[in-house]
Amino acid sequence: MSESYHDICSLEELEVGATRAAIVAGWPVLLSRTSQGVHALINRCTHADASLDGGRVRMGAITCPLHGAKFQLATGACVGGAYPPLLTFSVRMNDDRVQVAVPDSPPGPEHRPVEI
Ligand code: FES
């Protein structure tokens, strides 16, 4: 699947410990900046599809605001709960601009949590 980089914001606009939600070519993206760098994840909790922005960020992980699952920002791994990992996107810097690569095709039903 081909993907393309999209310009999101300047590094200055993303403080360490902060997150920023964006829709990028149809993909819900959660951008975050930690002491380890800038990370991009799908902004859909793998439990029940809630948006993760607004969730508490602590020690490199974000807590889903709806039911409290916790995901590592750097890897998308679920570290608090037993849910699948979040999809991650590549991030690159272009001068001071943060750019995120998302697939050229918009997300499909396979990118939503499985109904139980
Ligand atoms: S929707 Fe995120 S923990 Fe339930």
Side-chain angles (χ1 to χ4, degrees):
M1 180 185 298
S2 63
E3 60 182 29
S4 304
Y5 279 93
H6 298 264
D7 191 90
I8 308 296
C9 63
S10 73
L11 189 58
E12 266 180 21
E13 293 174 294
L14 192 62
E15 294 176 21
V16 173
T19 60
R20 182 186 186 108
I23 301 295
V24 184
W27 289 85
V29 173
L30 184 75
L31 205 60
S32 66
R33 186 174 173 193
T34 69
S35 58
Q36 299 169 331
V38 178
H39 313 286
L41 303 160
I42 194 165
N43 191 13
R44 284 181 179 163
C45 180
T46 53
H47 173 220
D49 218 16
S51 294
L52 295 163
D53 52 295
R56 186 169 100 161
V57 174
R58 190 160 178 248
M59 298 180 66
I62 189 164
T63 301
C64 177
L66 193 55
H67 306 114
K70 198 180 291 184
F71 298 92
Q72 272 188 346
L73 291 165
T75 66
C78 184
V79 292
Y83 305 112
L86 298 172
L87 182 66
T88 60
F89 303 109
S90 297
V91 176
R92 74 178 182 191
M93 296 300 303
N94 185 2
D95 293 327
D96 76 325
R97 302 297 297 177
V98 178
Q99 298 181 333
V100 174
V102 298
D104 293 328
S105 302
E110 69 275 21
H111 298 104
R112 295 212 175 257
V114 176
E115 290 185 32
I116 300 172

XYZ file of all heavy atoms in Angstrom:
863
model
N 0.856 -1.188 0.000
C 0.000 0.000 0.000
C 0.890 1.235 0.000
O 1.784 1.363 0.835
C -0.898 -0.027 1.251
C -1.837 1.154 1.348
S -2.795 1.229 2.886
C -3.733 -0.259 2.830
N 0.678 2.117 -0.939
C 1.509 3.322 -0.996
C 1.056 4.324 0.055
O -0.101 4.318 0.493
C 1.429 3.930 -2.395
O 0.106 4.331 -2.659
N 2.000 5.145 0.448
C 1.689 6.180 1.428
C 2.436 7.435 1.071
O 3.424 7.402 0.334
C 2.040 5.725 2.848
C 3.500 5.382 3.052
C 3.792 4.885 4.461
O 2.914 4.292 5.102
O 4.933 5.110 4.904
N 1.963 8.569 1.616
C 2.580 9.863 1.341
C 2.689 10.650 2.632
O 1.839 10.521 3.530
C 1.716 10.668 0.364
O 1.491 9.944 -0.817
N 3.733 11.471 2.688
C 3.911 12.358 3.844
C 3.051 13.612 3.695
O 2.897 14.130 2.584
C 5.379 12.757 3.989
C 6.201 11.693 4.677
C 6.878 10.741 3.931
C 6.286 11.636 6.056
C 7.625 9.744 4.557
C 7.017 10.650 6.699
C 7.686 9.712 5.941
O 8.409 8.735 6.563
N 2.528 14.051 4.830
C 1.700 15.259 4.870
C 2.225 16.170 5.972
O 2.553 15.702 7.066
C 0.234 14.900 5.164
C -0.372 14.024 4.115
N -1.118 14.517 3.076
C -0.304 12.680 3.933
C -1.512 13.503 2.301
N -1.027 12.382 2.807
N 2.260 17.447 5.674
C 2.722 18.438 6.632
C 1.629 18.675 7.690
O 0.468 18.891 7.346
C 3.007 19.743 5.878
C 3.726 20.739 6.721
O 4.962 20.726 6.727
O 3.036 21.530 7.394
N 2.000 18.611 8.972
C 1.002 18.751 10.036
C 1.152 20.067 10.804
O 0.193 20.814 10.961
C 1.096 17.585 11.049
C 1.045 16.231 10.325
C -0.023 17.687 12.087
C -0.234 15.930 9.606
N 2.340 20.327 11.323
C 2.543 21.521 12.134
C 4.035 21.735 12.313
O 4.841 20.904 11.895
C 1.857 21.371 13.503
S 2.520 20.029 14.515
N 4.394 22.832 12.951
C 5.803 23.037 13.280
C 6.103 22.301 14.580
O 5.192 22.030 15.373
C 6.112 24.524 13.410
O 5.548 25.017 14.604
N 7.362 21.997 14.808
C 7.746 21.326 16.044
C 7.407 22.203 17.246
O 6.997 21.692 18.295
C 9.241 21.001 16.011
C 9.757 20.108 17.132
C 9.017 18.766 17.145
C 11.263 19.887 16.992
N 7.545 23.505 17.090
C 7.217 24.443 18.177
C 5.766 24.333 18.617
O 5.448 24.552 19.780
C 7.450 25.893 17.723
C 8.804 26.434 18.073
C 8.957 27.867 17.605
O 7.928 28.549 17.391
O 10.106 28.285 17.434
N 4.896 24.013 17.704
C 3.463 23.928 18.014
C 3.099 22.669 18.789
O 1.952 22.519 19.202
C 2.639 23.980 16.721
C 2.711 25.301 16.003
C 2.001 25.262 14.658
O 2.484 24.532 13.754
O 0.975 25.952 14.512
N 4.057 21.770 18.949
C 3.801 20.507 19.635
C 4.738 20.418 20.842
O 5.892 20.017 20.714
C 4.040 19.341 18.667
C 3.566 17.966 19.101
C 2.061 17.921 19.306
C 3.988 16.931 18.061
N 4.244 20.798 21.976
C 5.070 20.786 23.184
C 5.301 19.354 23.659
O 4.477 18.473 23.410
C 4.370 21.567 24.296
C 4.234 23.043 24.006
C 3.446 23.747 25.096
O 3.352 23.219 26.209
O 2.930 24.838 24.799
N 6.410 19.152 24.355
C 6.678 17.843 24.949
C 5.555 17.524 25.941
O 5.188 18.366 26.770
C 8.049 17.824 25.658
C 8.249 16.508 26.410
C 9.174 18.017 24.642
N 4.983 16.343 25.816
C 3.883 15.930 26.689
C 2.514 16.257 26.119
O 1.498 15.845 26.671
N 2.497 16.968 24.981
C 1.220 17.361 24.386
C 0.841 16.418 23.248
O 1.678 15.698 22.705
C 1.304 18.789 23.859
N -0.434 16.412 22.905
C -0.904 15.672 21.737
C -1.669 16.638 20.839
O -2.088 17.713 21.277
C -1.839 14.508 22.127
O -2.974 15.038 22.808
C -1.125 13.488 22.992
N -1.825 16.208 19.619
C -2.564 17.029 18.653
C -3.301 16.090 17.709
O -2.699 15.174 17.146
C -1.555 17.885 17.883
C -2.151 18.817 16.872
C -1.028 19.492 16.085
N -1.559 20.484 15.207
C -1.437 21.786 15.372
N -0.765 22.259 16.369
N -1.980 22.630 14.518
N -4.571 16.292 17.549
C -5.378 15.453 16.660
C -5.500 16.124 15.304
O -5.597 17.356 15.218
C -6.761 15.225 17.263
N -5.479 15.308 14.260
C -5.649 15.846 12.914
C -6.268 14.766 12.037
O -6.104 13.572 12.291
C -4.293 16.264 12.338
N -6.979 15.197 11.029
C -7.442 14.281 9.988
C -6.496 14.479 8.810
O -6.364 15.598 8.293
C -8.899 14.578 9.559
C -9.849 14.466 10.749
C -9.321 13.627 8.438
C -9.966 13.067 11.333
N -5.806 13.407 8.432
C -4.790 13.490 7.389
C -5.178 12.538 6.262
O -5.157 11.312 6.442
C -3.404 13.117 7.967
C -2.337 13.289 6.910
C -3.087 13.946 9.196
N -5.573 13.095 5.141
C -6.012 12.295 3.992
C -7.060 11.261 4.416
O -7.033 10.104 3.989
C -4.816 11.628 3.307
N -7.938 11.671 5.294
C -9.029 10.795 5.743
C -8.688 9.961 6.965
O -9.568 9.315 7.531
N -7.425 9.975 7.404
C -7.004 9.178 8.558
C -7.047 10.013 9.831
O -6.481 11.108 9.864
C -5.574 8.660 8.339
C -5.480 7.598 7.307
C -5.357 7.782 5.961
C -5.518 6.195 7.523
N -5.325 6.571 5.322
C -5.417 5.578 6.258
C -5.627 5.399 8.655
C -5.435 4.204 6.103
C -5.628 4.034 8.497
C -5.537 3.438 7.229
N -7.654 9.484 10.888
C -7.599 10.189 12.169
C -6.231 9.928 12.803
O -5.877 8.792 13.088
C -8.727 9.543 12.980
C -8.884 8.176 12.392
C -8.446 8.255 10.953
N -5.461 10.982 12.974
C -4.081 10.868 13.453
C -3.943 11.590 14.786
O -4.471 12.687 14.976
C -3.101 11.471 12.419
C -1.678 11.524 12.974
C -3.133 10.671 11.119
N -3.253 10.936 15.697
C -2.896 11.558 16.974
C -1.382 11.726 16.978
O -0.640 10.751 16.926
C -3.320 10.683 18.161
C -3.047 11.329 19.513
C -4.075 12.424 19.769
C -3.085 10.301 20.627
N -0.973 12.975 17.009
C 0.445 13.297 17.032
C 0.828 13.584 18.473
O 0.072 14.240 19.210
C 0.635 14.540 16.169
C 1.982 14.805 15.519
C 2.361 13.684 14.588
C 1.909 16.127 14.757
N 1.979 13.110 18.887
C 2.424 13.388 20.253
C 3.924 13.629 20.241
O 4.641 13.198 19.336
C 2.104 12.214 21.178
O 2.867 11.088 20.805
N 4.361 14.340 21.251
C 5.793 14.593 21.395
C 6.196 14.198 22.802
O 5.606 14.664 23.784
C 6.096 16.069 21.140
C 7.576 16.379 21.140
C 7.805 17.820 20.745
N 9.195 18.190 20.894
C 9.638 19.426 20.863
N 8.791 20.432 20.662
N 10.911 19.689 21.027
N 7.171 13.306 22.876
C 7.699 12.889 24.172
C 9.186 13.237 24.196
O 9.733 13.737 23.204
C 7.527 11.375 24.387
O 8.393 10.682 23.488
C 6.093 10.928 24.171
N 9.837 12.914 25.288
C 11.280 13.156 25.365
C 12.028 12.296 24.358
O 13.184 12.556 24.043
C 11.770 12.886 26.786
O 11.462 11.555 27.132
N 11.369 11.264 23.829
C 12.002 10.379 22.842
C 11.768 10.828 21.407
O 12.315 10.235 20.478
C 11.480 8.950 23.015
C 11.796 8.383 24.386
C 11.051 7.079 24.635
O 9.985 6.864 24.104
N 11.633 6.242 25.477
N 10.910 11.811 21.191
C 10.668 12.285 19.836
C 9.199 12.502 19.560
O 8.376 12.575 20.478
N 8.884 12.607 18.267
C 7.505 12.842 17.830
C 6.951 11.523 17.298
O 7.632 10.808 16.563
C 7.449 13.929 16.749
C 6.026 14.131 16.259
C 8.015 15.241 17.288
N 5.729 11.200 17.677
C 5.105 9.942 17.297
C 3.726 10.227 16.699
O 3.075 11.203 17.059
C 4.931 9.038 18.520
C 6.166 8.961 19.367
N 7.284 8.259 18.991
C 6.459 9.536 20.548
C 8.206 8.386 19.907
N 7.744 9.157 20.881
N 3.293 9.326 15.825
C 1.960 9.451 15.227
C 1.254 8.099 15.286
O 1.821 7.070 14.912
C 2.069 9.937 13.786
N 0.044 8.122 15.767
C -0.773 6.922 15.938
C -2.150 7.176 15.337
O -2.577 8.329 15.206
C -0.982 6.635 17.429
C 0.248 6.455 18.313
C -0.146 6.666 19.769
C 0.812 5.081 18.105
N -2.861 6.079 15.063
C -4.255 6.260 14.678
C -5.020 6.742 15.910
O -4.796 6.282 17.029
C -4.856 4.962 14.084
C -6.176 5.272 13.394
C -4.989 3.869 15.144
C -6.660 4.146 12.469
N -5.890 7.708 15.691
C -6.625 8.316 16.815
C -7.956 7.598 17.029
O -9.022 8.206 17.024
C -6.831 9.806 16.550
C -7.329 10.539 17.776
O -7.303 10.013 18.881
N -7.788 11.768 17.568
N -7.855 6.273 17.170
C -9.044 5.445 17.418
C -8.636 4.349 18.379
O -7.839 3.479 18.019
C -9.513 4.776 16.133
C -10.234 5.658 15.170
C -10.658 4.820 13.969
N -11.383 5.641 13.015
C -11.588 5.287 11.767
N -11.093 4.147 11.318
N -12.265 6.063 10.963
N -9.187 4.358 19.532
C -8.883 3.315 20.506
C -9.314 1.961 19.932
O -10.386 1.839 19.327
C -9.625 3.603 21.804
S -9.307 2.365 23.083
N -8.470 0.955 20.142
C -8.781 -0.372 19.611
C -9.806 -1.119 20.464
O -10.180 -2.238 20.130
C -7.498 -1.216 19.476
O -6.809 -1.208 20.726
C -6.600 -0.678 18.392
N -10.246 -0.505 21.557
C -11.313 -1.130 22.341
C -12.675 -0.819 21.734
O -13.361 -1.706 21.254
C -11.250 -0.671 23.804
C -12.413 -1.145 24.609
N -13.044 -0.370 25.548
C -13.095 -2.316 24.584
C -14.040 -1.056 26.067
N -14.088 -2.236 25.510
N -13.051 0.443 21.737
C -14.394 0.794 21.259
C -14.390 2.070 20.418
O -15.390 2.789 20.376
C -15.362 0.920 22.424
N -13.245 2.349 19.768
C -13.204 3.370 18.727
C -13.207 4.816 19.235
O -13.412 5.737 18.446
C -14.360 3.168 17.755
C -13.966 3.441 16.323
O -12.764 3.486 16.034
O -14.876 3.622 15.492
N -13.003 5.033 20.516
C -13.006 6.415 21.022
C -11.790 7.173 20.509
O -10.729 6.593 20.268
C -12.979 6.404 22.552
N -11.943 8.480 20.361
C -10.792 9.333 20.056
C -9.919 9.418 21.294
O -10.422 9.539 22.414
C -11.263 10.734 19.662
O -11.979 10.679 18.462
N -8.624 9.368 21.081
C -7.704 9.369 22.211
C -7.281 10.774 22.631
O -6.753 10.945 23.741
C -6.462 8.540 21.875
C -6.772 7.051 21.667
C -5.632 6.364 20.949
C -7.046 6.388 23.003
N -7.484 11.766 21.769
C -7.051 13.100 22.159
C -7.859 13.560 23.366
O -9.041 13.262 23.497
C -7.165 14.096 20.996
C -8.518 14.121 20.341
O -8.907 13.096 19.750
O -9.186 15.160 20.446
N -7.173 14.233 24.233
C -7.792 14.614 25.507
C -7.464 13.610 26.600
O -7.696 13.872 27.773
N -6.902 12.466 26.205
C -6.489 11.479 27.200
C -5.240 11.942 27.933
O -4.440 12.703 27.392
N -5.082 11.465 29.148
C -3.940 11.869 29.961
C -2.654 11.231 29.419
O -2.619 10.027 29.169
C -4.152 11.461 31.412
C -3.079 11.987 32.332
C -3.482 11.772 33.745
N -2.783 10.593 34.231
C -2.620 10.312 35.501
N -3.144 11.083 36.423
N -1.962 9.252 35.875
N -1.634 12.049 29.260
C -0.330 11.563 28.816
C 0.595 11.531 30.021
O 0.762 12.529 30.722
C 0.257 12.476 27.718
C 1.679 12.040 27.366
C -0.620 12.458 26.478
N 1.172 10.359 30.227
C 2.076 10.205 31.375
C 3.067 9.086 31.064
O 2.686 8.012 30.621
C 1.257 9.860 32.613
C 2.049 9.916 33.876
C 1.116 10.055 35.071
N 1.918 10.054 36.277
C 1.903 9.086 37.173
N 1.083 8.087 37.038
N 2.673 9.142 38.221
N 4.336 9.373 31.319
C 5.409 8.385 31.148
C 5.366 7.713 29.769
O 5.468 6.489 29.652
C 5.358 7.350 32.274
C 5.587 7.999 33.631
S 5.540 6.868 35.004
C 6.969 5.860 34.682
N 5.163 8.518 28.734
C 5.216 8.007 27.367
C 4.002 7.215 26.932
O 4.054 6.523 25.916
N 2.915 7.308 27.681
C 1.704 6.567 27.319
C 0.486 7.480 27.427
O 0.489 8.454 28.186
C 1.531 5.354 28.230
N -0.532 7.166 26.638
C -1.785 7.920 26.702
C -2.894 7.011 27.211
O -2.955 5.829 26.861
C -2.152 8.537 25.331
C -3.340 9.496 25.483
C -2.415 7.457 24.270
C -3.538 10.421 24.299
N -3.750 7.568 28.057
C -4.881 6.822 28.601
C -6.132 7.211 27.830
O -6.450 8.392 27.684
C -5.060 7.135 30.096
O -3.869 6.773 30.773
C -6.235 6.367 30.688
N -6.833 6.219 27.303
C -8.069 6.488 26.563
C -9.072 7.164 27.488
O -9.341 6.666 28.588
C -8.644 5.182 26.027
S -10.221 5.406 25.180
N -9.635 8.285 27.063
C -10.566 9.006 27.934
C -11.880 8.264 28.195
O -12.587 8.578 29.148
C -10.831 10.319 27.205
C -10.148 10.257 25.907
C -9.380 8.973 25.802
N -12.201 7.249 27.359
C -13.516 6.613 27.518
C -13.522 5.534 28.605
O -14.352 5.579 29.518
C -13.982 6.034 26.174
C -15.440 5.625 26.099
C -16.368 6.770 26.487
C -15.798 5.133 24.707
N -12.614 4.563 28.510
C -12.627 3.474 29.506
C -11.275 3.231 30.157
O -11.133 2.305 30.940
C -13.080 2.146 28.872
C -14.386 2.214 28.163
N -14.497 2.040 26.810
C -15.639 2.452 28.619
C -15.768 2.159 26.440
N -16.484 2.413 27.519
N -10.263 3.981 29.795
C -9.001 3.913 30.520
C -7.926 2.986 29.995
O -6.914 2.796 30.671
N -8.076 2.402 28.803
C -6.969 1.621 28.246
C -5.773 2.546 28.042
O -5.929 3.745 27.784
C -7.376 0.982 26.923
N -4.582 1.979 28.164
C -3.376 2.788 28.068
C -2.509 2.268 26.919
O -2.319 1.059 26.777
C -2.607 2.688 29.389
C -1.605 3.775 29.600
C -0.887 3.624 30.915
C -1.811 3.877 32.097
N -1.073 3.828 33.373
N -2.007 3.189 26.111
C -1.201 2.835 24.935
C 0.107 3.609 24.940
O 0.117 4.818 25.206
C -1.968 3.173 23.643
C -3.255 2.416 23.495
C -4.458 2.957 23.962
C -3.288 1.166 22.892
C -5.654 2.271 23.830
C -4.490 0.475 22.752
C -5.671 1.020 23.226
N 1.203 2.899 24.609
C 2.489 3.563 24.466
C 2.459 4.454 23.239
O 2.081 4.004 22.153
C 3.608 2.531 24.291
C 4.186 2.061 25.590
C 5.424 1.199 25.356
O 5.703 0.754 24.254
N 6.140 0.960 26.431
N 2.905 5.692 23.402
C 2.881 6.625 22.283
C 3.924 6.259 21.228
O 3.712 6.464 20.038
C 3.128 8.052 22.793
C 1.978 8.603 23.639
C 2.423 9.834 24.404
C 0.773 8.928 22.771
N 5.050 5.713 21.622
C 6.125 5.412 20.671
C 5.833 4.182 19.820
O 6.249 4.113 18.663
C 7.442 5.229 21.416
N 5.095 3.213 20.368
C 4.908 1.940 19.650
C 3.451 1.601 19.370
O 3.160 0.724 18.555
C 5.490 0.778 20.466
O 4.710 0.635 21.667
C 6.947 1.031 20.829
N 2.528 2.246 20.065
C 1.112 1.910 19.938
C 0.706 0.718 20.784
O -0.479 0.350 20.815
N 1.650 0.078 21.456
C 1.337 -1.112 22.256
C 0.381 -0.770 23.393
O 0.495 0.290 24.019
C 2.628 -1.709 22.821
N -0.537 -1.679 23.642
C -1.464 -1.508 24.759
C -0.747 -1.988 26.017
O -0.373 -3.162 26.120
C -2.743 -2.306 24.525
S -3.984 -2.056 25.806
N -0.556 -1.078 26.955
C 0.181 -1.410 28.180
C -0.722 -1.311 29.410
O -0.263 -1.494 30.528
C 1.422 -0.506 28.340
C 2.446 -0.827 27.274
C 1.050 0.970 28.309
N -1.977 -1.031 29.186
C -2.942 -0.992 30.283
C -4.265 -1.420 29.713
O -5.025 -0.602 29.188
N -4.543 -2.724 29.759
C -5.709 -3.278 29.087
C -5.208 -4.401 28.195
O -3.997 -4.641 28.090
N -6.137 -5.098 27.572
C -5.760 -6.250 26.746
C -6.277 -6.059 25.328
O -6.932 -6.935 24.765
C -6.318 -7.528 27.358
N -5.979 -4.909 24.757
C -6.499 -4.583 23.433
C -5.378 -4.625 22.401
O -4.194 -4.536 22.739
C -7.174 -3.206 23.468
C -8.224 -3.157 24.538
C -8.060 -2.366 25.661
C -9.357 -3.967 24.455
C -9.010 -2.360 26.669
C -10.307 -3.966 25.454
C -10.133 -3.158 26.554
O -11.069 -3.178 27.539
N -5.722 -4.751 21.135
C -4.700 -4.736 20.085
C -3.950 -3.402 20.087
O -4.469 -2.383 20.568
C -5.507 -4.905 18.792
C -6.806 -5.499 19.213
C -7.076 -4.964 20.580
N -2.742 -3.410 19.528
C -1.976 -2.160 19.463
C -2.620 -1.167 18.497
O -3.363 -1.555 17.590
C -0.605 -2.603 18.953
C -0.865 -3.887 18.237
C -2.036 -4.539 18.924
N -2.288 0.088 18.704
C -2.728 1.127 17.773
C -1.832 1.107 16.540
O -0.624 0.863 16.648
C -2.622 2.513 18.428
C -3.467 2.748 19.669
C -3.092 4.080 20.307
C -4.953 2.730 19.313
N -2.407 1.386 15.399
C -1.638 1.547 14.166
C -0.722 2.763 14.337
O -1.150 3.796 14.864
C -2.613 1.758 13.008
C -2.049 1.904 11.609
C -1.387 0.596 11.180
C -3.161 2.282 10.645
N 0.522 2.623 13.904
C 1.455 3.754 13.969
C 1.746 4.261 12.563
O 1.649 3.515 11.585
C 2.776 3.346 14.648
O 3.382 2.298 13.892
C 2.535 2.874 16.087
N 2.113 5.526 12.489
C 2.484 6.148 11.212
C 3.908 6.684 11.314
O 4.334 7.121 12.390
C 1.534 7.311 10.882
C 0.080 6.933 10.826
C -0.795 7.358 11.816
C -0.428 6.161 9.790
C -2.147 7.020 11.780
C -1.774 5.813 9.741
C -2.632 6.247 10.736
N 4.619 6.664 10.196
C 5.975 7.219 10.173
C 5.924 8.736 10.292
O 5.022 9.380 9.750
C 6.683 6.853 8.864
O 6.827 5.462 8.774
N 6.921 9.259 10.993
C 7.040 10.712 11.179
C 8.417 11.135 10.682
O 9.402 10.426 10.886
C 6.910 11.076 12.675
C 7.137 12.576 12.887
C 5.550 10.658 13.214
N 8.476 12.266 10.022
C 9.776 12.831 9.648
C 9.719 14.339 9.865
O 8.637 14.940 9.922
C 10.130 12.499 8.204
C 9.347 13.292 7.176
C 9.766 12.956 5.749
N 9.031 13.781 4.789
C 9.016 13.572 3.484
N 9.672 12.543 2.967
N 8.321 14.372 2.681
N 10.909 14.911 9.987
C 11.014 16.361 10.119
C 11.497 16.915 8.788
O 12.389 16.351 8.153
C 12.005 16.732 11.229
C 11.582 16.284 12.606
S 10.000 16.976 13.141
C 10.312 18.736 13.013
N 10.926 18.015 8.368
C 11.383 18.736 7.186
C 11.637 20.160 7.659
O 10.704 20.924 7.833
C 10.328 18.683 6.085
C 10.811 19.314 4.790
O 11.950 19.762 4.688
N 9.934 19.354 3.801
N 12.906 20.483 7.930
C 13.281 21.694 8.673
C 12.569 21.620 10.021
O 12.722 20.655 10.719
C 12.972 22.951 7.874
C 13.861 23.053 6.639
O 15.021 22.611 6.706
O 13.384 23.558 5.610
N 11.731 22.588 10.339
C 11.050 22.518 11.644
C 9.631 21.983 11.508
O 8.863 22.024 12.458
C 11.038 23.889 12.327
C 10.003 24.807 11.703
O 9.797 24.718 10.461
O 9.375 25.591 12.425
N 9.283 21.463 10.347
C 7.916 20.977 10.122
C 7.803 19.480 10.400
O 8.650 18.692 9.976
C 7.479 21.238 8.675
C 7.519 22.689 8.233
C 6.582 23.570 9.002
N 5.182 23.184 8.811
C 4.163 23.790 9.436
N 4.393 24.786 10.298
N 2.930 23.385 9.227
N 6.742 19.123 11.109
C 6.458 17.714 11.395
C 5.587 17.176 10.261
O 4.534 17.760 9.947
C 5.713 17.566 12.742
C 5.374 16.100 12.998
C 6.541 18.144 13.878
N 6.043 16.064 9.672
C 5.295 15.458 8.578
C 5.001 13.997 8.920
O 5.843 13.298 9.480
C 6.090 15.541 7.271
C 6.352 16.991 6.863
C 7.112 17.117 5.559
O 7.873 16.227 5.193
N 6.883 18.214 4.853
N 3.798 13.565 8.574
C 3.345 12.215 8.895
C 2.962 11.504 7.600
O 2.304 12.089 6.736
C 2.131 12.262 9.846
C 1.556 10.873 10.074
C 2.510 12.902 11.170
N 3.377 10.233 7.502
C 3.025 9.422 6.327
C 1.794 8.577 6.632
O 1.775 7.838 7.623
C 4.190 8.515 5.949
N 0.776 8.724 5.828
C -0.418 7.882 5.946
C -0.653 7.205 4.596
O -0.215 7.696 3.557
C -1.676 8.693 6.360
C -1.488 9.321 7.723
C -2.048 9.718 5.312
N -1.337 6.057 4.618
C -1.663 5.399 3.344
C -2.460 6.327 2.431
O -3.249 7.162 2.906
C -2.498 4.191 3.784
C -2.043 3.907 5.178
C -1.763 5.267 5.776
N -2.239 6.149 1.140
C -2.941 6.999 0.176
C -4.429 6.668 0.089
O -5.230 7.504 -0.316
C -2.278 6.875 -1.199
C -0.861 7.459 -1.185
O -0.626 8.424 -0.430
O -0.004 6.933 -1.911
N -4.791 5.445 0.479
C -6.214 5.082 0.525
C -6.743 5.360 1.925
O -6.057 5.073 2.914
C -6.404 3.598 0.230
O -5.871 3.289 -1.018
N -7.952 5.903 2.031
C -8.504 6.196 3.361
C -8.761 4.911 4.154
O -8.817 3.820 3.576
C -9.811 6.930 3.052
C -10.150 6.573 1.659
C -8.877 6.248 0.956
N -8.909 5.044 5.475
C -9.128 3.855 6.295
C -10.448 3.170 5.949
O -11.421 3.814 5.571
C -9.153 4.402 7.728
C -9.458 5.854 7.591
C -8.937 6.278 6.261
N -10.434 1.850 6.079
C -11.624 1.062 5.812
C -12.132 0.420 7.093
O -11.605 0.683 8.180
N -13.128 -0.443 6.981
C -13.699 -1.091 8.164
C -12.677 -1.927 8.928
O -12.821 -2.136 10.133
C -14.807 -1.981 7.605
C -14.836 -1.782 6.146
C -13.789 -0.795 5.755
N -11.618 -2.381 8.238
C -10.593 -3.178 8.920
C -9.793 -2.347 9.914
O -9.049 -2.889 10.721
C -9.662 -3.853 7.910
C -8.736 -2.921 7.143
C -9.367 -2.304 5.899
O -10.611 -2.253 5.788
O -8.598 -1.839 5.030
N -9.933 -1.046 9.870
C -9.225 -0.176 10.797
C -10.090 0.237 11.983
O -9.737 1.143 12.733
C -8.704 1.065 10.057
C -7.715 0.701 8.989
N -8.030 0.694 7.654
C -6.437 0.258 9.072
C -6.977 0.288 6.955
N -6.004 0.022 7.785
N -11.220 -0.407 12.120
C -12.075 -0.173 13.289
C -12.006 -1.408 14.173
O -11.750 -2.506 13.702
C -13.517 0.062 12.858
C -13.672 1.335 12.048
C -15.031 1.948 12.297
N -15.119 3.221 11.619
C -15.006 4.390 12.242
N -14.798 4.429 13.535
N -15.102 5.518 11.576
N -12.254 -1.241 15.474
C -12.247 -2.402 16.358
C -13.274 -3.440 15.935
O -14.320 -3.107 15.363
C -12.618 -1.809 17.718
C -12.338 -0.364 17.608
C -12.531 0.000 16.167
N -12.938 -4.687 16.186
C -13.856 -5.780 15.874
C -14.991 -5.770 16.886
O -14.765 -5.631 18.086
C -13.113 -7.133 15.939
C -14.068 -8.295 15.719
C -11.986 -7.157 14.922
N -16.222 -5.866 16.398
C -17.360 -5.921 17.320
C -17.398 -7.267 18.014
O -17.184 -8.301 17.380
C -18.661 -5.660 16.566
C -18.775 -4.215 16.112
C -20.120 -3.931 15.476
O -21.116 -4.560 15.884
O -20.163 -3.080 14.594
N -17.651 -7.227 19.277
C -17.681 -8.460 20.074
C -19.115 -8.869 20.319
O -19.961 -8.067 20.594
C -16.952 -8.263 21.421
C -15.488 -7.884 21.147
C -17.023 -9.517 22.251
C -14.720 -7.470 22.359
S -12.822 3.016 23.964
Fe -10.823 3.234 24.714
S -10.760 2.006 26.470
Fe -12.759 1.748 25.721
